[in-house]
Amino acid sequence: MSEELSERDVAVLALERASWPGPGAKERAVRERLGITPTRYYQLLNALLDDPRALAHDPVTVNRLRRLREARRASR
């Protein structure tokens, strides 16, 4: 495994850091900027949350998303 995140992984984290004006804006950005479906985006994002390289790259975003994921799991 390489030491650094791929450009796509960095772009996924950058999209997740951004704030979005309304419904559909983020999904549109995923398609336009990354060229992937929102479903694939969320699969990649979920895998990134467990990647120590992602945590090292953007600890604030990764930790925030980990907390949200754990809260969702706990509420099920």
Side-chain angles (χ1 to χ4, degrees):
M1 188 174 265
S2 69
E3 291 296 316
E4 295 185 18
L5 294 172
S6 70
E7 286 184 33
R8 182 178 66 183
D9 291 342
V10 171
V12 167
L13 291 172
L15 276 174
E16 211 47 49
R17 268 192 313 275
S19 60
W20 300 98
K26 182 177 180 181
E27 287 74 14
R28 198 165 34 257
V30 165
R31 285 190 174 93
E32 291 172 2
R33 295 184 199 173
L34 301 177
I36 59 177
T37 66
T39 300
R40 181 68 181 137
Y41 171 83
Y42 288 110
Q43 290 170 341
L44 292 169
L45 178 61
N46 197 49
L48 277 172
L49 296 184
D50 297 322
D51 189 330
R53 297 171 303 163
L55 182 62
H57 175 79
D58 191 346
V60 173
T61 300
V62 171
N63 282 324
R64 176 178 58 83
L65 294 171
R66 283 178 174 178
R67 284 191 303 272
L68 289 170
R69 181 173 69 177
E70 288 307 313
R72 279 193 302 271
R73 286 180 178 167
S75 70
R76 288 183 192 156

